[in-house]
Amino acid sequence: MNAAGPLIGVLALQGDVREHMRSLEAAGARAVSVRSVETLSQVDALVIPGGESTTMSKLAILDGFLEPLREARSAGMPMYGSCAGLIMLADRVTDARPDQETVGGIDVTVRRNAFGRQVDSFEADIDMPSIGPDPFRAVFIRAPRVDEVGPEVEVLARVGDDGTIVAVRQGRLMATAFHPELTGDHRIHQAFVNLVSQSQG
């Protein structure tokens, strides 16, 4: 663990918490699971992992996390969301339950389960110039997709012949439709750690 690196929390409501923590530490950050609002107030940045976005939204509300998460994001805390985390950071979600709420902050419209069910999970090599010239092997599991982006959103990666948007950034917020924490390739976590370090400078 790098004692000099930023302290990045992984929201531990649901999802691949340990895998994200390992990837963050491999990228030079200190990582901690965030299970309380008190811990959230102590971290420099936050990762919202994959999982089931409807359940995650309900748990965030029940555990009193939703408003503190929105306040932290509004105050400028860097956040990165993977899969369901992308949905949680989106301003608009289609095919969602009427009562589903998000943290918001990225001016995108996201469609849940856009690539099909669990059995339709797949891997694909995607080009992501912001992390380097080599393709990134992306793992998609019941993944969402980005249907619309606002003018301040940077598209980081696309997949498929139709150029479906699967990675975005807006200011200090990043999100991917896929699961980089499952690959052993830490470049996306490294990009987020760099973003956090820059925001502290």
Side-chain angles (χ1 to χ4, degrees):
M1 186 179 292
N2 182 359
L7 180 62
I8 300 180
V10 181
L11 187 63
L13 295 176
Q14 190 193 35
D16 299 328
V17 177
R18 288 192 200 89
E19 291 85 350
H20 274 294
M21 290 178 67
R22 280 197 290 266
S23 294
L24 289 166
E25 290 172 350
R30 295 171 293 146
V32 62
S33 62
V34 174
R35 301 178 185 275
S36 69
V37 174
E38 180 183 4
T39 306
L40 176 65
S41 69
Q42 297 168 352
V43 299
D44 299 314
L46 184 73
V47 171
I48 303 177
E52 207 290 310
S53 63
T54 305
T55 303
M56 195 175 290
S57 173
K58 284 182 179 178
L59 290 172
I61 294 168
L62 286 171
D63 292 353
F65 260 115
L66 192 62
E67 284 308 318
L69 286 168
R70 287 172 172 167
E71 290 167 7
R73 187 261 300 161
S74 296
M77 178 182 284
M79 295 185 178
Y80 163 60
S82 64
C83 197
L86 163 61
I87 297 170
M88 290 292 285
L89 290 176
D91 283 347
R92 298 169 299 280
V93 184
T94 54
D95 292 348
R97 288 170 54 107
D99 60 347
Q100 183 165 345
E101 296 194 57
T102 70
V103 176
I106 303 181
D107 183 11
V108 292
T109 301
V110 170
R111 183 175 299 275
R112 296 173 69 247
N113 298 340
F115 295 97
R117 302 190 307 172
Q118 190 90 6
V119 295
D120 301 308
S121 301
F122 66 99
E123 297 183 16
D125 288 326
I126 60 172
D127 291 322
M128 198 166 176
S130 62
I131 64 167
D134 295 330
F136 190 94
R137 187 70 174 174
V139 178
F140 293 84
I141 304 171
R142 293 183 63 199
R145 74 177 188 218
V146 178
D147 284 343
E148 298 175 348
V149 299
E152 296 182 12
V153 176
E154 178 185 2
V155 175
L156 299 178
R158 298 175 182 267
V159 72
D161 295 336
D162 59 353
T164 298
I165 298 169
V166 292
V168 291
R169 175 181 172 182
Q170 182 174 353
R172 294 180 176 180
L173 305 177
M174 276 179 57
T176 61
F178 51 89
H179 291 267
E181 75 281 4
L182 300 180
T183 66
D185 185 335
H186 305 303
R187 287 179 292 162
I188 289 175
H189 288 84
Q190 184 67 65
F192 182 61
V193 171
N194 293 345
L195 186 159
V196 176
S197 299
Q198 291 163 10
S199 73
Q200 294 176 318

